[in-house]
Amino acid sequence: MYVLKVKGVAKIPDYVQLRDNEFTLLAYFRLDRPERALEKIGLADKAEYILQVVNEIPFGEIKKLEL
């Protein structure tokens, strides 16, 4: 699974994309509201780890997650 942090501009907020190994979009959520999106794809129990990784990477960088 891959994570990508996207910088918002003006009125558009920052977003996070979660993609599978084939790079298919699994989840797309605001950086300040991840709970519902992670719950929807069954990763609510891994939310803390995912958010930690997201907060560490710079905008525009893709990082592989080992879940």
Side-chain angles (χ1 to χ4, degrees):
M1 180 175 298
Y2 296 91
V3 64
L4 170 66
K5 188 162 72 169
V6 181
K7 178 75 173 161
V9 291
K11 292 183 179 183
I12 300 170
D14 301 337
Y15 275 88
V16 174
Q17 293 181 15
L18 290 179
R19 295 183 174 267
D20 66 9
N21 290 332
E22 287 77 39
F23 224 69
T24 303
L25 185 65
L26 299 175
Y28 183 71
F29 56 89
R30 285 177 50 169
L31 193 53
D32 60 344
R33 295 190 210 162
E35 299 83 15
R36 195 167 117 201
L38 292 175
E39 185 178 315
K40 189 174 181 178
I41 62 169
L43 293 175
D45 59 328
K46 308 252 191 271
E48 189 175 320
Y49 168 69
I50 292 169
L51 294 177
Q52 178 185 355
V53 171
V54 167
N55 288 326
E56 292 173 356
I57 64 172
F59 287 101
E61 185 175 305
I62 299 171
K63 175 140 176 111
K64 185 167 182 149
L65 294 176
E66 300 298 330
L67 298 178

